[in-house]
Amino acid sequence: MTTPVFANSAFVDTPEWLVLRGGRWRKRPLYVRYGLCLDAKTGPVLIDTGYTNHALRDPDRSLGLRLYGRALGARLQDSGQPEAFLARFNLRPRDITTVVVTHFHADHVSGLRLFAQARFVAAAAGWDALRANSRFANLRHGVFPELLPPDFTDRLDLIDAAPQVAAPLLDHKAHDLLGDGSLLALPLPGHAPGHVGLIFPALGTPLLYAVDAQWTCAALPAQRRPGLAARLVSHDRAAHARSCDLVTRFAEAGGDVMLCHDPAPSAFDLKDLPCG
């Protein structure tokens, strides 16, 4: 059985009204999670990388990355950086065999260069958009090709090539990433090209890690979804709404839902995850 555990790489202090319709003016510390599958039969599998020094503190980073980091004001958590997180499980970056890239926004890929031995798994739509977009278009959506390893293409496996299977609790297909039905990639378009969630069907209650389908679980119902923030960052607002509906149906059918940025703790977070 593939069981995930999630670390927090940074906090981003954000006004609640921006990420939740009807929310208050106070700022909430949003998490920037990434995960590790501890007992994957193919070896340790990482789910994204969170924010790292490479994106937010490296003195050689581009002007675009500097402006991006300044605008967000993310507070890096040293204890949640990949090396420290992996060390808790007696692992090092070179032990990671696979990194699943849910999408190419900087807060999900900034540590990819640490994993010199890993294969990368991502959706074709995201990879194609990153290469086709202009530098300005990528910058507008928080995508920075400089964060990718130089040999990323050589180590990339496309999610689209993985076999399709029925997704639990949904009338939808998902991609079987490990070949044993324990980790499924569910397309959740709209937030970004190629954005996928991950389903863990073998847990006692199936879990959908819906990544950035919304910032908080409270914002998944249609009447609580933010307007301004969605207009600012959504690649496709109509597709984004349909993806939120799909995640909501999964929860209503009895599944667990987890999001990358939700400030509410999850049962799959590290037990001593720092509070904001």
Side-chain angles (χ1 to χ4, degrees), residues 217-269:
C217 286
L220 284 168
Q223 67 272 18
R224 300 303 306 276
R225 293 172 193 167
L228 175 62
R231 286 194 295 273
L232 290 175
V233 304
S234 289
H235 164 69
D236 182 330
R237 291 185 64 196
H240 196 177
R242 290 192 295 271
S243 292
C244 287
D245 291 341
L246 187 63
V247 175
T248 301
R249 289 203 299 275
F250 185 90
E252 291 173 344
D256 283 336
V257 170
M258 183 178 180
L259 298 169
C260 175
H261 302 298
D262 199 330
S266 163
F268 296 95
D269 287 333

Short mmCIF file of all heavy atoms in Angstrom, two decimals, residues 217-269:
data_model
loop_
_atom_site.label_atom_id
_atom_site.label_comp_id
_atom_site.label_asym_id
_atom_site.label_seq_id
_atom_site.Cartn_x
_atom_site.Cartn_y
_atom_site.Cartn_z
N CYS A 217 -10.04 23.78 1.54
CA CYS A 217 -11.17 22.88 1.32
C CYS A 217 -12.50 23.62 1.49
O CYS A 217 -13.49 23.28 0.85
CB CYS A 217 -11.09 21.69 2.27
SG CYS A 217 -9.81 20.48 1.81
N ALA A 218 -12.51 24.64 2.35
CA ALA A 218 -13.74 25.41 2.55
C ALA A 218 -14.17 26.13 1.28
O ALA A 218 -15.34 26.49 1.13
CB ALA A 218 -13.54 26.43 3.68
N ALA A 219 -13.23 26.34 0.34
CA ALA A 219 -13.53 27.07 -0.89
C ALA A 219 -13.93 26.14 -2.05
O ALA A 219 -14.15 26.62 -3.16
CB ALA A 219 -12.33 27.92 -1.31
N LEU A 220 -14.03 24.84 -1.81
CA LEU A 220 -14.40 23.93 -2.90
C LEU A 220 -15.86 24.07 -3.32
O LEU A 220 -16.15 24.03 -4.52
CB LEU A 220 -14.09 22.48 -2.49
CG LEU A 220 -12.61 22.09 -2.54
CD1 LEU A 220 -12.38 20.75 -1.84
CD2 LEU A 220 -12.12 22.03 -3.98
N PRO A 221 -16.83 24.24 -2.40
CA PRO A 221 -18.22 24.43 -2.84
C PRO A 221 -18.36 25.70 -3.68
O PRO A 221 -17.70 26.71 -3.43
CB PRO A 221 -19.00 24.55 -1.52
CG PRO A 221 -18.13 23.87 -0.50
CD PRO A 221 -16.72 24.16 -0.94
N ALA A 222 -19.24 25.66 -4.67
CA ALA A 222 -19.35 26.75 -5.64
C ALA A 222 -19.61 28.09 -4.97
O ALA A 222 -19.07 29.12 -5.40
CB ALA A 222 -20.47 26.44 -6.64
N GLN A 223 -20.40 28.11 -3.89
CA GLN A 223 -20.76 29.39 -3.28
C GLN A 223 -19.63 30.00 -2.47
O GLN A 223 -19.71 31.17 -2.08
CB GLN A 223 -22.00 29.21 -2.38
CG GLN A 223 -21.78 28.36 -1.14
CD GLN A 223 -22.02 26.88 -1.42
OE1 GLN A 223 -22.01 26.45 -2.59
NE2 GLN A 223 -22.26 26.10 -0.36
N ARG A 224 -18.55 29.26 -2.22
CA ARG A 224 -17.43 29.80 -1.44
C ARG A 224 -16.17 30.01 -2.27
O ARG A 224 -15.14 30.42 -1.74
CB ARG A 224 -17.10 28.86 -0.25
CG ARG A 224 -18.21 28.63 0.73
CD ARG A 224 -18.77 29.90 1.35
NE ARG A 224 -17.80 30.77 1.99
CZ ARG A 224 -17.35 30.62 3.25
NH1 ARG A 224 -17.76 29.61 3.99
NH2 ARG A 224 -16.50 31.50 3.77
N ARG A 225 -16.23 29.71 -3.55
CA ARG A 225 -15.04 29.84 -4.38
C ARG A 225 -14.68 31.31 -4.59
O ARG A 225 -15.56 32.13 -4.89
CB ARG A 225 -15.25 29.16 -5.74
CG ARG A 225 -15.39 27.66 -5.63
CD ARG A 225 -15.79 27.01 -6.94
NE ARG A 225 -16.21 25.64 -6.69
CZ ARG A 225 -16.86 24.87 -7.59
NH1 ARG A 225 -17.13 25.37 -8.79
NH2 ARG A 225 -17.22 23.65 -7.26
N PRO A 226 -13.40 31.65 -4.47
CA PRO A 226 -12.99 33.05 -4.63
C PRO A 226 -13.12 33.48 -6.08
O PRO A 226 -12.96 32.68 -7.01
CB PRO A 226 -11.54 33.04 -4.17
CG PRO A 226 -11.07 31.63 -4.41
CD PRO A 226 -12.27 30.76 -4.16
N GLY A 227 -13.40 34.76 -6.27
CA GLY A 227 -13.54 35.28 -7.63
C GLY A 227 -12.27 35.92 -8.14
O GLY A 227 -11.71 35.49 -9.14
N LEU A 228 -11.76 36.93 -7.44
CA LEU A 228 -10.60 37.67 -7.90
C LEU A 228 -9.38 36.78 -8.04
O LEU A 228 -8.69 36.81 -9.07
CB LEU A 228 -10.29 38.83 -6.94
CG LEU A 228 -9.02 39.62 -7.23
CD1 LEU A 228 -9.10 40.28 -8.60
CD2 LEU A 228 -8.77 40.65 -6.14
N ALA A 229 -9.10 35.97 -7.05
CA ALA A 229 -7.91 35.12 -7.09
C ALA A 229 -7.97 34.15 -8.25
O ALA A 229 -6.97 33.89 -8.93
CB ALA A 229 -7.76 34.37 -5.76
N ALA A 230 -9.17 33.59 -8.50
CA ALA A 230 -9.31 32.66 -9.61
C ALA A 230 -9.04 33.35 -10.95
O ALA A 230 -8.40 32.79 -11.84
CB ALA A 230 -10.71 32.05 -9.60
N ARG A 231 -9.52 34.60 -11.08
CA ARG A 231 -9.27 35.33 -12.32
C ARG A 231 -7.78 35.61 -12.51
O ARG A 231 -7.28 35.64 -13.63
CB ARG A 231 -10.06 36.64 -12.33
CG ARG A 231 -11.55 36.48 -12.55
CD ARG A 231 -12.22 37.79 -12.88
NE ARG A 231 -12.18 38.73 -11.78
CZ ARG A 231 -13.09 38.78 -10.80
NH1 ARG A 231 -14.10 37.95 -10.81
NH2 ARG A 231 -12.98 39.67 -9.85
N LEU A 232 -7.08 35.83 -11.41
CA LEU A 232 -5.66 36.18 -11.50
C LEU A 232 -4.79 34.99 -11.90
O LEU A 232 -3.81 35.16 -12.62
CB LEU A 232 -5.19 36.73 -10.15
CG LEU A 232 -5.72 38.12 -9.76
CD1 LEU A 232 -5.26 38.47 -8.35
CD2 LEU A 232 -5.24 39.18 -10.75
N VAL A 233 -5.14 33.80 -11.40
CA VAL A 233 -4.20 32.69 -11.58
C VAL A 233 -4.72 31.53 -12.41
O VAL A 233 -3.92 30.71 -12.88
CB VAL A 233 -3.74 32.14 -10.20
CG1 VAL A 233 -3.13 33.23 -9.36
CG2 VAL A 233 -4.90 31.48 -9.46
N SER A 234 -6.01 31.41 -12.62
CA SER A 234 -6.52 30.25 -13.34
C SER A 234 -6.12 30.30 -14.81
O SER A 234 -6.25 31.33 -15.48
CB SER A 234 -8.05 30.18 -13.24
OG SER A 234 -8.45 29.84 -11.95
N HIS A 235 -5.67 29.17 -15.30
CA HIS A 235 -5.38 29.03 -16.73
C HIS A 235 -6.67 28.98 -17.53
O HIS A 235 -6.76 29.55 -18.63
CB HIS A 235 -4.55 27.76 -16.94
CG HIS A 235 -4.50 27.28 -18.35
ND1 HIS A 235 -3.83 27.97 -19.34
CD2 HIS A 235 -5.06 26.19 -18.95
CE1 HIS A 235 -3.96 27.31 -20.48
NE2 HIS A 235 -4.70 26.25 -20.28
N ASP A 236 -7.69 28.29 -16.98
CA ASP A 236 -8.97 28.12 -17.66
C ASP A 236 -10.04 28.08 -16.57
O ASP A 236 -10.20 27.09 -15.89
CB ASP A 236 -8.96 26.82 -18.47
CG ASP A 236 -10.23 26.58 -19.25
OD1 ASP A 236 -11.31 27.03 -18.80
OD2 ASP A 236 -10.17 25.90 -20.30
N ARG A 237 -10.78 29.18 -16.41
CA ARG A 237 -11.70 29.29 -15.28
C ARG A 237 -12.83 28.27 -15.36
O ARG A 237 -13.26 27.72 -14.33
CB ARG A 237 -12.27 30.70 -15.21
CG ARG A 237 -11.24 31.75 -14.81
CD ARG A 237 -11.90 33.11 -14.64
NE ARG A 237 -12.88 33.09 -13.54
CZ ARG A 237 -13.81 34.01 -13.37
NH1 ARG A 237 -13.92 35.01 -14.24
NH2 ARG A 237 -14.63 33.95 -12.36
N ALA A 238 -13.34 28.01 -16.55
CA ALA A 238 -14.43 27.04 -16.68
C ALA A 238 -13.95 25.63 -16.31
O ALA A 238 -14.64 24.90 -15.59
CB ALA A 238 -14.99 27.06 -18.10
N ALA A 239 -12.78 25.27 -16.80
CA ALA A 239 -12.22 23.95 -16.45
C ALA A 239 -11.91 23.88 -14.97
O ALA A 239 -12.08 22.83 -14.33
CB ALA A 239 -10.96 23.69 -17.28
N HIS A 240 -11.43 24.98 -14.41
CA HIS A 240 -11.14 25.03 -12.98
C HIS A 240 -12.40 24.75 -12.16
O HIS A 240 -12.38 23.98 -11.19
CB HIS A 240 -10.56 26.40 -12.64
CG HIS A 240 -9.88 26.46 -11.31
ND1 HIS A 240 -9.25 27.59 -10.85
CD2 HIS A 240 -9.74 25.54 -10.32
CE1 HIS A 240 -8.74 27.36 -9.65
NE2 HIS A 240 -9.03 26.13 -9.31
N ALA A 241 -13.51 25.35 -12.55
CA ALA A 241 -14.77 25.14 -11.84
C ALA A 241 -15.20 23.68 -11.93
O ALA A 241 -15.67 23.08 -10.95
CB ALA A 241 -15.85 26.05 -12.41
N ARG A 242 -15.04 23.07 -13.11
CA ARG A 242 -15.42 21.66 -13.26
C ARG A 242 -14.53 20.77 -12.40
O ARG A 242 -15.01 19.77 -11.82
CB ARG A 242 -15.33 21.25 -14.74
CG ARG A 242 -16.39 21.89 -15.62
CD ARG A 242 -16.44 21.23 -17.00
NE ARG A 242 -15.22 21.44 -17.76
CZ ARG A 242 -15.01 22.49 -18.56
NH1 ARG A 242 -15.94 23.43 -18.70
NH2 ARG A 242 -13.87 22.60 -19.24
N SER A 243 -13.25 21.11 -12.30
CA SER A 243 -12.36 20.33 -11.45
C SER A 243 -12.76 20.45 -9.98
O SER A 243 -12.72 19.45 -9.24
CB SER A 243 -10.90 20.78 -11.65
OG SER A 243 -10.44 20.43 -12.94
N CYS A 244 -13.13 21.64 -9.55
CA CYS A 244 -13.62 21.81 -8.18
C CYS A 244 -14.87 20.97 -7.94
O CYS A 244 -15.02 20.35 -6.86
CB CYS A 244 -13.92 23.27 -7.89
SG CYS A 244 -12.45 24.31 -7.71
N ASP A 245 -15.76 20.94 -8.92
CA ASP A 245 -16.97 20.11 -8.79
C ASP A 245 -16.59 18.64 -8.64
O ASP A 245 -17.19 17.91 -7.83
CB ASP A 245 -17.85 20.28 -10.03
CG ASP A 245 -18.49 21.66 -10.13
OD1 ASP A 245 -18.55 22.37 -9.11
OD2 ASP A 245 -18.91 22.02 -11.25
N LEU A 246 -15.59 18.19 -9.39
CA LEU A 246 -15.16 16.80 -9.33
C LEU A 246 -14.58 16.46 -7.96
O LEU A 246 -14.90 15.41 -7.38
CB LEU A 246 -14.13 16.54 -10.44
CG LEU A 246 -13.68 15.09 -10.65
CD1 LEU A 246 -14.85 14.22 -11.09
CD2 LEU A 246 -12.56 15.03 -11.69
N VAL A 247 -13.76 17.35 -7.44
CA VAL A 247 -13.18 17.12 -6.12
C VAL A 247 -14.27 17.10 -5.06
O VAL A 247 -14.25 16.27 -4.14
CB VAL A 247 -12.12 18.20 -5.81
CG1 VAL A 247 -11.59 18.05 -4.39
CG2 VAL A 247 -10.96 18.13 -6.80
N THR A 248 -15.24 17.99 -5.19
CA THR A 248 -16.36 18.03 -4.25
C THR A 248 -17.15 16.73 -4.29
O THR A 248 -17.54 16.18 -3.25
CB THR A 248 -17.28 19.22 -4.56
OG1 THR A 248 -16.52 20.44 -4.46
CG2 THR A 248 -18.45 19.28 -3.60
N ARG A 249 -17.37 16.18 -5.49
CA ARG A 249 -18.10 14.90 -5.61
C ARG A 249 -17.33 13.78 -4.94
O ARG A 249 -17.92 12.89 -4.32
CB ARG A 249 -18.37 14.58 -7.08
CG ARG A 249 -19.40 15.48 -7.73
CD ARG A 249 -20.04 14.83 -8.94
NE ARG A 249 -19.09 14.52 -9.99
CZ ARG A 249 -18.70 15.38 -10.94
NH1 ARG A 249 -19.16 16.63 -10.93
NH2 ARG A 249 -17.86 15.02 -11.86
N PHE A 250 -16.02 13.79 -5.07
CA PHE A 250 -15.19 12.76 -4.43
C PHE A 250 -15.40 12.82 -2.91
O PHE A 250 -15.57 11.78 -2.26
CB PHE A 250 -13.72 12.99 -4.78
CG PHE A 250 -12.78 11.94 -4.27
CD1 PHE A 250 -12.48 10.83 -5.06
CD2 PHE A 250 -12.19 12.04 -3.02
CE1 PHE A 250 -11.60 9.85 -4.59
CE2 PHE A 250 -11.32 11.08 -2.56
CZ PHE A 250 -11.02 9.97 -3.34
N ALA A 251 -15.38 14.02 -2.35
CA ALA A 251 -15.57 14.16 -0.90
C ALA A 251 -16.98 13.74 -0.51
O ALA A 251 -17.17 13.05 0.52
CB ALA A 251 -15.30 15.60 -0.49
N GLU A 252 -17.98 14.13 -1.29
CA GLU A 252 -19.36 13.78 -0.97
C GLU A 252 -19.61 12.29 -1.05
O GLU A 252 -20.50 11.76 -0.38
CB GLU A 252 -20.32 14.54 -1.89
CG GLU A 252 -20.35 16.04 -1.63
CD GLU A 252 -21.17 16.80 -2.65
OE1 GLU A 252 -21.48 16.23 -3.73
OE2 GLU A 252 -21.51 17.97 -2.38
N ALA A 253 -18.81 11.60 -1.87
CA ALA A 253 -18.94 10.14 -2.00
C ALA A 253 -18.22 9.39 -0.87
O ALA A 253 -18.25 8.16 -0.84
CB ALA A 253 -18.40 9.69 -3.35
N GLY A 254 -17.58 10.14 0.04
CA GLY A 254 -16.95 9.50 1.19
C GLY A 254 -15.44 9.50 1.18
O GLY A 254 -14.82 8.94 2.10
N GLY A 255 -14.82 10.12 0.19
CA GLY A 255 -13.37 10.16 0.13
C GLY A 255 -12.79 11.30 0.96
O GLY A 255 -13.49 12.26 1.29
N ASP A 256 -11.52 11.16 1.30
CA ASP A 256 -10.79 12.25 1.95
C ASP A 256 -10.19 13.16 0.88
O ASP A 256 -9.74 12.66 -0.17
CB ASP A 256 -9.65 11.71 2.81
CG ASP A 256 -10.13 11.14 4.13
OD1 ASP A 256 -11.21 11.55 4.60
OD2 ASP A 256 -9.44 10.28 4.71
N VAL A 257 -10.17 14.46 1.14
CA VAL A 257 -9.57 15.43 0.22
C VAL A 257 -8.53 16.24 0.97
O VAL A 257 -8.76 16.67 2.11
CB VAL A 257 -10.64 16.35 -0.39
CG1 VAL A 257 -10.00 17.52 -1.14
CG2 VAL A 257 -11.55 15.57 -1.33
N MET A 258 -7.41 16.46 0.32
CA MET A 258 -6.33 17.26 0.89
C MET A 258 -5.83 18.21 -0.18
O MET A 258 -5.82 17.88 -1.38
CB MET A 258 -5.20 16.33 1.33
CG MET A 258 -4.04 17.00 2.02
SD MET A 258 -2.83 15.74 2.53
CE MET A 258 -1.60 16.80 3.27
N LEU A 259 -5.44 19.42 0.22
CA LEU A 259 -4.95 20.43 -0.70
C LEU A 259 -3.56 20.89 -0.28
O LEU A 259 -3.19 20.81 0.89
CB LEU A 259 -5.89 21.64 -0.74
CG LEU A 259 -7.31 21.36 -1.22
CD1 LEU A 259 -8.21 22.56 -0.97
CD2 LEU A 259 -7.33 20.99 -2.70
N CYS A 260 -2.82 21.42 -1.23
CA CYS A 260 -1.45 21.86 -0.97
C CYS A 260 -1.40 23.01 0.04
O CYS A 260 -0.57 23.02 0.95
CB CYS A 260 -0.79 22.28 -2.28
SG CYS A 260 0.86 22.98 -2.09
N HIS A 261 -2.29 24.00 -0.11
CA HIS A 261 -2.14 25.25 0.62
C HIS A 261 -3.10 25.41 1.81
O HIS A 261 -3.04 26.43 2.49
CB HIS A 261 -2.31 26.42 -0.34
CG HIS A 261 -1.34 26.41 -1.47
ND1 HIS A 261 0.02 26.50 -1.27
CD2 HIS A 261 -1.52 26.30 -2.82
CE1 HIS A 261 0.64 26.46 -2.45
NE2 HIS A 261 -0.27 26.34 -3.40
N ASP A 262 -3.96 24.45 2.02
CA ASP A 262 -4.96 24.56 3.08
C ASP A 262 -4.29 24.76 4.44
O ASP A 262 -3.44 23.97 4.83
CB ASP A 262 -5.83 23.30 3.11
CG ASP A 262 -7.15 23.51 3.83
OD1 ASP A 262 -7.19 24.34 4.76
OD2 ASP A 262 -8.12 22.83 3.48
N PRO A 263 -4.67 25.81 5.19
CA PRO A 263 -4.06 26.02 6.50
C PRO A 263 -4.56 25.05 7.57
O PRO A 263 -3.99 24.99 8.66
CB PRO A 263 -4.46 27.47 6.84
CG PRO A 263 -5.70 27.71 6.07
CD PRO A 263 -5.57 26.91 4.81
N ALA A 264 -5.62 24.29 7.26
CA ALA A 264 -6.11 23.30 8.22
C ALA A 264 -5.19 22.08 8.20
O ALA A 264 -4.77 21.63 7.14
CB ALA A 264 -7.54 22.88 7.87
N PRO A 265 -4.84 21.53 9.36
CA PRO A 265 -3.96 20.35 9.40
C PRO A 265 -4.63 19.14 8.79
O PRO A 265 -5.86 19.01 8.79
CB PRO A 265 -3.68 20.16 10.89
CG PRO A 265 -4.83 20.82 11.58
CD PRO A 265 -5.23 21.97 10.71
N SER A 266 -3.82 18.24 8.26
CA SER A 266 -4.29 16.99 7.67
C SER A 266 -3.71 15.82 8.44
O SER A 266 -2.61 15.91 9.00
CB SER A 266 -3.87 16.91 6.20
OG SER A 266 -3.96 15.58 5.72
N ALA A 267 -4.42 14.71 8.43
CA ALA A 267 -3.92 13.49 9.07
C ALA A 267 -2.66 12.98 8.39
O ALA A 267 -1.92 12.17 8.98
CB ALA A 267 -5.01 12.41 9.04
N PHE A 268 -2.38 13.45 7.17
CA PHE A 268 -1.20 12.97 6.44
C PHE A 268 -0.02 13.94 6.55
O PHE A 268 1.03 13.69 5.96
CB PHE A 268 -1.57 12.74 4.97
CG PHE A 268 -2.60 11.65 4.81
CD1 PHE A 268 -3.95 11.97 4.72
CD2 PHE A 268 -2.23 10.32 4.81
CE1 PHE A 268 -4.90 10.98 4.60
CE2 PHE A 268 -3.18 9.31 4.69
CZ PHE A 268 -4.52 9.64 4.59
N ASP A 269 -0.19 15.03 7.28
CA ASP A 269 0.93 15.92 7.55
C ASP A 269 1.88 15.27 8.55
O ASP A 269 1.46 14.44 9.38
CB ASP A 269 0.43 17.24 8.17
CG ASP A 269 -0.26 18.14 7.16
OD1 ASP A 269 0.03 18.05 5.96
OD2 ASP A 269 -1.13 18.93 7.61
#
